[in-house]
Amino acid sequence: MEFLGTIADVLYGWVLDANTENYSVIVNSDVLAWVLIFLFVVTIGTAASFYYGVAKVAANATKKNYFIVCGLGLFVLWLANLIIVPTIVADWSYALEMNNFLLCFVDSIYYVILYEIVSYFMKDGSYAKHIHLLTCFS
């Protein structure tokens, strides 16, 4: 967990305000490592559910369904950051503070980038070979 904490500190540490009273809770209780774990789990799970679940039937392999699944995954990621991570570390003191909302914002950006990368690799094994995030905007 220490290795993930180091990586997470690099990815998320720049956005945190060190002057807040709950900064030490976020840094010292593996909150950032859990946020990183949920980023990977939710992103890979959401992309897999679209390509191997929703797009299992060729008629469902649409850009609209892709955006819906992507949006639901983002919503699940926010809920994980705001509810599940404070429950795991057993400290709710930081849950509704600005630092946690900043974590959610930066995690949303990382989610979109990682979702595109994962989608690019998963699309070849499904009926939605032509759908990934960059093609949805063209």
Side-chain angles (χ1 to χ4, degrees):
M1 195 67 144
E2 188 175 323
F3 178 70
L4 283 176
T6 305
I7 293 171
D9 190 39
V10 170
L11 290 175
Y12 299 111
W14 61 273
V15 75
L16 297 176
D17 182 11
N19 296 323
T20 61
E21 62 187 48
N22 295 321
Y23 176 76
S24 63
V25 173
I26 293 173
V27 173
N28 295 329
S29 345
D30 291 330
V31 169
L32 298 178
W34 282 108
V35 168
L36 183 64
I37 289 169
F38 277 108
L39 172 67
F40 283 112
V41 168
V42 170
T43 305
I44 293 169
T46 304
S49 69
F50 174 74
Y51 286 109
Y52 303 121
V54 174
K56 192 174 189 178
V57 177
N60 292 338
T62 64
K63 292 179 182 180
K64 179 183 174 187
N65 288 344
Y66 182 81
F67 277 128
I68 289 172
V69 171
C70 183
L72 287 174
L74 186 60
F75 181 69
V76 168
L77 186 64
W78 289 340
L79 289 179
N81 289 346
L82 294 173
I83 296 172
I84 297 173
V85 173
T87 303
I88 290 173
V89 298
D91 192 352
W92 282 79
S93 63
Y94 76 94
L96 296 176
E97 298 290 327
M98 190 58 156
N99 272 341
N100 202 24
F101 291 126
L102 289 172
L103 276 177
C104 287
F105 174 72
V106 171
D107 213 23
S108 300
I109 295 170
Y110 291 155
Y111 171 80
V112 170
I113 294 168
L114 189 61
Y115 196 80
E116 170 61 22
I117 294 168
V118 170
S119 293
Y120 188 75
F121 288 111
M122 284 189 179
K123 68 183 176 114
D124 290 334
S126 73
Y127 287 115
K129 292 181 187 341
H130 60 285
I131 297 176
H132 58 92
L133 203 56
L134 293 177
T135 60
C136 287
F137 292 113
S138 59

